[in-house]
Amino acid sequence: MTLEQPNFLKLLCATRFAEGLPNKHLQCLCRGARLVRLSAGQTLFREGETEPDVFVLTSGHVRLSMNVPGRGAVDFLSAGPGDLVGWSGLISDGRMTATATARTDSVLIALSGQCLKEACEHDPQLGFVLMKRIAQVLSQRLLSTRLQLLDLFAEGTSA
Amino acid sequence: MITPFPSSHPHNPWLAHSVRIQRVTQETPGVATYDMAFDDASVAESFQFLPGQFNMIYLPGVGEVAISISGDPGQRGVVPHTIREAGNVTKTLARLPLNSSIALRGPFGSSWPVESCVGKDVVIVAGGIGLAPLRPAILHLLKHRSELDELTLIVGARDSSLLLYPERYDDWRAKGMNVLVTVDRADESWHGCIGMVTAVLDRLWLRDASKTVVMTCGPEVMMWYTVQTAIRRGIPSAQCFLSLERNMNCAIGLCGHCQFGPEFLCKDGPVFCFDRVASRMKVEDL
Amino acid sequence: MSHHTSIQPADVSVAGLLRTDDLQQLIDALIAAGYDVIGPKIDQCAIVYDQITSVNQLPRGWTDLQEPGRYRLQQSDDSKYFGFAVGPHSWKKYLFPPQSIVSTATRTENGWQFSTDAPPAPRLAFLGVRACELAAIEIQDRVFLHGPWVDPIYKSRRDAVLIVAVNCTSAASTCFCSSTNTGPRCRSGFDLALTEIAGGFVIETGSESGRAIAARLPLESVTEHHHAEASSARAQAEAMMTRKLRTDDLHDLLLGNLKHPHWDDVATRCLSCTNCTMVCPTCFCSTVTDVSDLTNDHVQRERKWDSCFNIDFSYMNGSPVRNSIASRYRQWLTHKLASWQDQFGTLGCVGCGRCITWCPPGIDLTEEVVKLRDAVHANSEDPS
Ligand code: SF4
Ligand code: SF4
């Protein structure tokens, strides 16, 4: 699924995740980057497996699911262009907490978790900027999850 | 001292117009659209409303309930209301046969700022039955599609069976609106997006955030975070509009029930610019 | 017939002196002009407003002792007709009745027919309207007549009323109309105004209808001495008024502290009994419900006074928005003293003190404002 080397710098800075990062940081991110193309139905990673890369979706639709015995794979969230998936690799041991499957043909930039970690250790400023971005992504996802949890549409709304 | 202004409504605001339930369309379980036709031809002719305004639907002997008009503001004669069975009035209404005689007072309240959308990009964010009060704005904007730049509708629902007006989305798309649908819970049959409308708004491509107008209707919590997301994306809060809901009894600003701080939701709202109500939306039990 | 909008201070002039013994002639003149006269009288140990035809029904020689949570009538040492302040009633019960029919529905072969026809409003002459009450009527005029929608019931009743004001010559301990700038002097908004002095009443007129009534009275000319006596009687009311309310900072103080813990403090004392809203001459909240006959073929839409202290007042989607007493007291006080200013360009309080007197636990809004202000300031001065 790996392709010829495209211009990662350009691709990446067009995503919401990397938008506005200074050039030197973008270059660090692109070190060891590769492009991943998935066709509809293909799985990017599986819950419980170790995944060394972190992915930024540039186009398409990837769904996250968790396996529930008796119910099978339960889809709980969609990721779209600009979204970050597989971030566990940066923070914990890289064991995935969900399965990611492409619903439509999708293109992702895979950033090497190892390279990123090293770059962050080496340049704490980059590390801070990157962690701030990830924290933002996670806080948005947490909010979204909470709103889903509140089951807002279950009772009366404006009519 | 304020100088009193003359009443702009010579009509007795308590006088109801008799209407017939001309058609009922089941939308989702417990939600149906009732097309009301006026008995009096001259009322039918003169009745006009602005997108976002509401009527008091009246079942004599049962009571009144405030319902947003969900039809095309350009259409005369028949007024559709999409209604969820919730209280006494709406449950009784759901049991009435076609052609039953009921009544309405209206239209009341403020409207979506469709006039100020000319030359702008518009993002409409609807949750659950909140799409109903937005539908007149959608139909109006589609009719004036060429006067806008981007036009996007983000629809959220609990699951795909609870989506409102799903059979219209393709028509709306064909008329030039980008319709994005997302659900909280997906079953096997759902191939679309899963997650909150805020997540969809987060990744929506914006041509020019500073020239984007947001209109949102749905649960208050959803509207709040929709506007927060819009603001984070660079959309000015003064260009974000939402429709609030409180207990309404008289609809003419005289009974006091629907107060929200200094606002009477029935006459100052239900549609507000976010800036006007923001400071009060997170005050508990207001 | 008086027309409220035509009454301007510029119209006010002294018409003459009516001797105490001739007061009945005023009542007779009002009745002769086609009015039912409503005035103060004693009922169940309180001075209330009711129809009167004779001066003998007036509470002559009685005064009211008022304190937070306390009201008592007492014989006074003079024999004044109007030597008391205000009681549990206000004139709003005639202009905005506690119960009224806003519309009716009748089932016919051709479906429901609706009507808002109402019997003609009674022509009432209010006798003994105090300055704070004139102000309260003016405030309700703004609510019911000067918004985008006019309430037809209030309008027809308001148009049919003639107002005979009375200048207070004493004040209750609960009064604070000087603070709200609504009294004790009656300056406008009346057809006739009386100042009671020894031997008679100095009569002012404030409108054509007032002048027409005055013309039928056996008035004597007012001497320098009468004038002096009248102003000192009025000054006495001012001098007796001890209660104060600082108003300049109310709007931001209250709306800027919606989450202040002081609301919970009031909530430990407030019973949410609705008394304060029922006695208040400016409170205008109501609820309309359907009342049908047994056949369900005739339905009336009945409007009744309601209160923001009732738990189901804010009901929405099956549960009340204002579930706690703290939130309901906060709604009441912030509305009266703050958001009312945004809505109607004036305070919603005229300083009549009724809500203080008739509150069972004696909660005093002027004191609650002071407590909140002190708490807010103490906090902001906190060095931490
Ligand atoms: S709030 Fe109290 S003092 Fe003020 S007008 Fe109402 S009853 Fe009178
Ligand atoms: S403040 Fe007093 S009168 Fe008003 S509701 Fe509370 S207890 Fe009753």
Side-chain angles (χ1 to χ4, degrees), chain C residues 135-157:
Chain C
I137 293 171
E138 208 256 299
I139 287 176
Q140 287 213 324
D141 285 353
R142 290 181 189 223
V143 175
F144 289 115
L145 303 178
H146 299 153
W149 295 94
V150 170
D151 183 66
I153 295 172
Y154 184 90
K155 178 165 175 35
S156 66
R157 291 181 160 256

Side-chain angles (χ1 to χ4, degrees), chain C residues 176 276 279-282 332 336 348-356 365:
Chain C
F176 58 102
C276 49
V279 294
C280 179
T282 68
W332 181 67
K336 286 273 109 159
C349 173
V350 296
C352 74
R354 285 181 177 90
C355 58
I356 304 172
L365 78 169

Side-chain angles (χ1 to χ4, degrees), chain A residues 28-87:
Chain A
C28 283
L29 292 184
C30 291
R31 217 164 288 147
R34 62 200 172 86
L35 203 65
V36 177
R37 245 173 236 271
L38 299 176
S39 42
Q42 246 183 316
T43 295
L44 181 62
F45 52 75
R46 280 182 200 286
E47 186 182 358
E49 285 177 357
T50 306
E51 171 55 56
D53 289 342
V54 181
F55 303 92
V56 181
L57 198 57
T58 64
S59 70
H61 173 191
V62 169
R63 267 203 198 168
L64 301 179
S65 64
M66 291 174 89
N67 194 56
V68 182
R71 283 168 65 190
V74 178
D75 290 350
F76 63 89
L77 191 69
S78 294
D83 283 340
L84 187 70
V85 286
W87 48 267

Side-chain angles (χ1 to χ4, degrees), chain B residues 111-156:
Chain B
S111 58
W112 298 109
V114 286
E115 302 303 333
S116 67
C117 294
V118 174
K120 301 237 171 75
D121 294 345
V122 179
V123 181
I124 297 173
V125 183
I129 200 171
L131 181 55
L134 281 163
R135 192 164 161 253
I138 291 170
L139 297 177
H140 176 93
L141 292 174
L142 286 176
K143 207 170 281 177
H144 298 81
R145 183 64 189 88
S146 60
E147 296 162 29
L148 316 171
D149 280 302
E150 300 294 322
L151 175 59
T152 304
L153 168 65
I154 301 174
V155 182

Side-chain angles (χ1 to χ4, degrees), chain A residues 16 61 63 75-81 83 103 140 143-144 147-148 150-159, chain B residues 67-68 84 127-130 156-158 184-185 190-194 196 202-203 217 219 221-222 225 232 245:
Chain A
R16 193 157 35 87
H61 173 191
R63 267 203 198 168
D75 290 350
F76 63 89
L77 191 69
S78 294
D83 283 340
R103 292 303 287 206
Q140 287 315 307
L143 170 68
S144 194
L147 294 178
Q148 271 175 282
L150 286 177
D151 206 3
L152 292 174
F153 303 130
E155 250 317 296
T157 73
S158 213
Chain B
I67 305 284
S68 287
R84 179 207 297 271
I129 200 171
R158 190 170 192 235
D184 275 0
R185 279 143 232 252
W190 179 246
H191 302 290
C193 186
I194 308 169
M196 284 304 294
D202 237 329
R203 34 175 194 265
C217 186
V221 182
M222 182 211 91
Y225 286 105
R232 190 157 35 74
E245 188 190 17

Side-chain angles (χ1 to χ4, degrees), chain C residues 269-277 309 329 332 355 358-361 363:
Chain C
R269 288 169 278 134
C270 174
L271 312 170
S272 204
C273 69
T274 79
N275 269 15
C276 49
T277 51
F309 281 98
Y329 188 89
W332 181 67
C355 58
W358 297 97
C359 172
I363 297 173

